Amino acid sequence: MSMTFRIVGLLLALGMLSPGDTLADDGSQATVVQRIILMRHGIRSPTKAPADLARYASEPWPAWPVAPGLLTPHGIDTLRSLGKRMRRDLADAGLPADACKREVRVIADSTPRNQASAKALLEGLSPSCAPVWQAFPVGQDDPLFRGTGGGDDDDKAGIDAAAIDDTTRATMAELQQVLLGCHDDACLARAKSDGKQVLLGGDAAKALKTAGSLSENIMLAYVQGMPAAQFGWGRLDAEGVARVIGLHNASFRLAHATPEASRGRGGNMLAHISATLAEAAGRPTTVKALAPAGTRVLVLIGHDTDLAAQAGLLGLDWQAATKGDDFPPGGALVYDLVKVPGGYAVRLSVAMPTLAALRAGDVIPANAVVLKSLPQPDCGAIALCPISSFAATSGRAVGDAVSVSAANEPMTSAVGAP
């Protein structure tokens, strides 16, 4: 008997599988029935203007070609490239890929950058027709992406300072060096006297959240294609950008360390994703599916916070795979419903563009995107989790964080797009 089927037997004995749920010995016999892609929007400008960031650095922050928080022209081009790649990847998985025929449905958060991302992605995916996606009007919170609490997309979850490890603290010191050109005590004292806000020597948890945001701004300037004199004031190279963005990763990882910490933001989304997969597998569900019956490909265009919340709810970790930004622009968490001998299972994976590919604006090459199948901790750390087990895990993680307003986003076309 194979190891996989021994695990199945154990799960059956523990009551974690229904008798009709079994697994293929490996993924070779799995057929993808439905794919839900939760992806971050494309390359944007920082959400704060350079003048608002000035208190953190000794030199001016770079200027951007768009207003704060908006998708850039380079970001649009890169998403079109990602749409072309998505068409190929869907075909390779045996899935339909023609959005013109509504074979691929897209739901975007209501912000201008997310709707612009939907438009650009669809232009690359299906260039022969006008893009059509679903979204609430700009300014109206979408509980699918904003959670049951609503509000902006800034991460408000708390961080336990005791959980910040030595590597993260050392990287904070490196970022301080980049920002000020020094990080010794005398330097920090001078910076404070000049009205600068420093990262070191104070509340470590608060400083990490600030450092995560600042390191993201540096990453965004790098992938936008700015020269080194702008994205790191000449004090960072590409490897340095990959190191300091680890502060953004760490901030999100610690803020979403448990399902309880992630529920407010991500519980409602997970409930609707799980219901959509269950309906496609012919299972009853009390939560509304996100797409009409028969939909095989659904793309949700959200934020890095949405990806982090899903990771916290499901106990996922893909840092070892990315070795860089865990939540890059255009990065995605993929939920595949697969048909295997004996039933249906859910397979999770990530598809994360490399920072170099984003900077080049070309994600078509095979090595431009990191692809990694994820073990699911609450399903015995296996890759193919029986649909009944996935639904049970999701239900426990979600709790009562469900909003009936999700899945009601109206259709939007490029003609009326923001």
Side-chain angles (χ1 to χ4, degrees):
M1 180 182 292
S2 72
M3 178 60 73
T4 301
F5 283 100
R6 284 198 294 271
I7 293 174
V8 170
L10 175 60
L11 294 175
L12 284 166
L14 294 174
M16 295 175 64
L17 262 65
S18 300
D21 288 324
T22 58
L23 298 175
D25 200 21
D26 54 37
S28 61
Q29 300 181 67
T31 300
V32 182
V33 175
Q34 184 182 67
R35 174 167 291 180
I36 300 176
I37 303 170
L38 168 61
M39 61 176 286
R40 186 186 180 185
H41 55 72
I43 300 166
R44 60 160 172 81
S45 58
T47 55
K48 295 182 179 179
D52 296 324
L53 297 170
R55 69 182 186 273
Y56 296 106
S58 60
E59 299 178 55
W61 288 79
W64 285 76
V66 295
L70 296 184
L71 199 67
T72 68
H74 179 66
I76 290 172
D77 290 341
T78 305
L79 277 170
R80 287 173 178 154
S81 173
L82 186 60
K84 293 176 184 177
R85 182 190 177 106
M86 184 178 291
R87 187 195 319 154
R88 182 189 70 195
D89 291 346
L90 291 173
D92 289 346
L95 290 165
D98 191 349
C100 299
K101 298 178 181 178
R102 305 295 290 140
E103 292 175 345
V104 178
R105 291 178 175 265
V106 176
I107 303 176
D109 191 18
S110 58
T111 68
R113 64 176 171 271
N114 287 69
Q115 297 207 46
S117 294
K119 178 177 180 291
L121 182 77
L122 286 163
E123 286 171 344
L125 177 69
S126 298
S128 62
C129 64
V132 177
W133 63 94
Q134 291 173 245
F136 284 126
V138 173
Q140 179 178 342
D141 279 350
D142 187 338
L144 178 63
F145 298 97
R146 303 300 170 139
T148 50
D152 61 36
D153 62 302
D154 288 337
D155 189 13
K156 297 179 175 63
I159 292 174
D160 179 6
I164 303 174
D165 60 27
D166 291 343
T167 298
T168 300
R169 292 175 186 272
T171 308
M172 288 176 65
E174 180 180 6
L175 178 61
Q176 188 73 89
Q177 176 75 29
V178 172
L179 293 169
L180 297 178
C182 55
H183 68 276
D184 57 87
D185 291 343
C187 164
L188 299 183
R190 288 194 303 272
K192 288 179 181 178
S193 67
D194 291 339
K196 301 297 181 182
Q197 185 169 331
V198 302
L199 299 175
L200 306 180
D203 184 332
K206 183 178 179 180
L208 178 57
K209 297 198 81 167
T210 300
S213 178
L214 296 175
S215 67
E216 182 186 33
N217 292 338
I218 290 172
M219 177 276 293
L220 289 169
Y222 174 79
V223 297
Q224 173 65 13
M226 294 185 184
Q230 291 183 297
F231 69 70
W233 301 280
R235 294 187 279 271
L236 272 183
D237 57 11
E239 292 182 356
V241 173
R243 283 196 305 275
V244 298
I245 196 60
L247 296 171
H248 186 247
N249 299 340
S251 175
F252 271 20
R253 183 177 66 254
L254 295 177
H256 295 277
T258 65
E260 291 74 20
S262 303
R263 186 172 292 147
R265 175 66 184 226
N268 185 48
M269 176 179 283
L270 179 57
H272 284 85
I273 288 175
S274 181
T276 306
L277 296 169
E279 183 176 273
R283 296 175 61 88
T285 175
T286 59
V287 177
K288 184 179 179 181
L290 292 172
T295 300
R296 297 191 64 194
V297 182
L298 173 64
V299 181
L300 308 176
I301 301 183
H303 306 268
D304 47 3
T305 315
D306 296 311
L307 291 166
Q310 294 302 301
L313 287 164
L314 296 171
L316 307 176
D317 183 358
W318 53 81
Q319 209 289 317
T322 59
K323 296 183 175 65
D325 192 351
D326 288 355
F327 313 99
L333 175 60
V334 181
Y335 307 73
D336 278 341
L337 176 69
V338 298
K339 184 73 170 65
V340 294
Y344 291 93
V346 175
R347 179 175 60 204
L348 303 180
S349 61
V350 289
M352 300 294 175
T354 67
L355 297 185
L358 291 170
R359 183 173 173 85
D362 182 7
V363 296
I364 299 296
N367 64 353
V369 177
V370 176
L371 304 172
K372 179 68 175 178
S373 180
L374 301 174
Q376 301 180 54
D378 289 335
C379 199
I382 56 178
L384 291 175
C385 183
I387 183 66
S388 60
S389 298
F390 182 83
T393 294
S394 298
R396 290 191 297 270
V398 167
D400 60 358
V402 181
S403 169
V404 296
S405 298
N408 292 325
E409 296 84 356
M411 289 293 182
T412 301
S413 70
V415 176

